[in-house]
Amino acid sequence: MDSLWSSAAIAYLHYLSFMVAFAALVVEHLTLRKELELKQAWRLVITDGLYGIAAITVLVTGILRVLYFGKGTAYYLSNPVFHLKVGFFILVGLLSLYPTISFLLWLKPLRQGQVPTLELAVVQRLTWVIRAELAFLSGIPLLAAMMARGIGLDWIQG
């Protein structure tokens, strides 16, 4: 019985963290603009930190699900859809480096009460990166649903 509760708790934390990560990206997308107020700039920095914590939680709980609480490591590792899903997650993580580093560079001026000055090209680039993150993140639940139903297992046996 403990194993069932543990499995359910890990799955719940996995799904919840995924939703928090997605929501954080939506907040970043809606908040980011060329002319920021101090409060909005801080919101972006804090939200990106929350996004990072949620993404790490998704990663850790995902690993736990593969190793201990899922259908078994062999099931996941033999499914190309799983590899695609992990690839999407890695891609989102790599894309997130640009906004995260950008926002972290704002910390010093923000602590001094100064709003960062943003060029329009930088805002546009950050916006498109966040949109790409959202797009790839949106594909992960579809891949998870496919994988849970065994789609992809026959692709390599084909």
Side-chain angles (χ1 to χ4, degrees):
M1 187 67 156
D2 285 338
S3 178
L4 287 177
W5 280 105
S6 298
S7 178
I10 294 297
Y12 172 74
L13 193 54
H14 188 69
Y15 301 141
L16 181 64
S17 298
F18 186 88
M19 290 185 285
V20 168
F22 193 88
L25 286 176
V26 170
V27 169
E28 287 182 15
H29 185 267
L30 294 174
T31 305
L32 185 62
R33 58 184 46 93
K34 186 177 181 328
E35 301 296 327
L36 288 173
E37 296 173 12
L38 190 62
K39 184 178 178 181
Q40 293 167 323
W42 272 112
R43 180 180 302 136
L44 284 164
V45 170
I46 292 166
T47 302
D48 197 66
L50 179 63
Y51 166 76
I53 292 167
I56 290 168
T57 305
V58 168
L59 177 64
V60 170
T61 56
I63 291 169
L64 289 172
R65 294 185 77 203
V66 168
L67 295 177
Y68 303 111
F69 299 109
K71 295 181 179 186
T73 307
Y75 176 84
Y76 297 105
L77 296 182
S78 66
N79 191 330
V81 175
F82 175 74
H83 294 278
L84 187 57
K85 179 182 161 197
V86 170
F88 273 31
F89 186 79
I90 290 169
L91 181 58
V92 170
L94 291 173
L95 285 168
S96 75
L97 291 174
Y98 178 64
T100 296
I101 291 168
S102 298
F103 299 151
L104 287 175
L105 291 173
W106 297 358
L107 282 174
K108 186 176 179 181
L110 286 174
R111 286 187 181 129
Q112 297 169 351
Q114 300 171 357
V115 179
T117 306
L118 302 174
E119 298 294 324
L120 181 58
V122 171
V123 173
Q124 290 173 332
R125 195 169 29 251
L126 284 166
T127 299
W128 278 105
V129 169
I130 292 168
R131 286 177 182 166
E133 288 179 81
L134 285 166
F136 283 107
L137 211 56
S138 294
I140 291 175
L142 172 61
L143 295 171
M146 291 169 60
M147 191 181 64
R149 283 150 186 82
I151 297 171
L153 290 174
D154 58 343
W155 296 355
I156 56 172
Q157 297 165 353

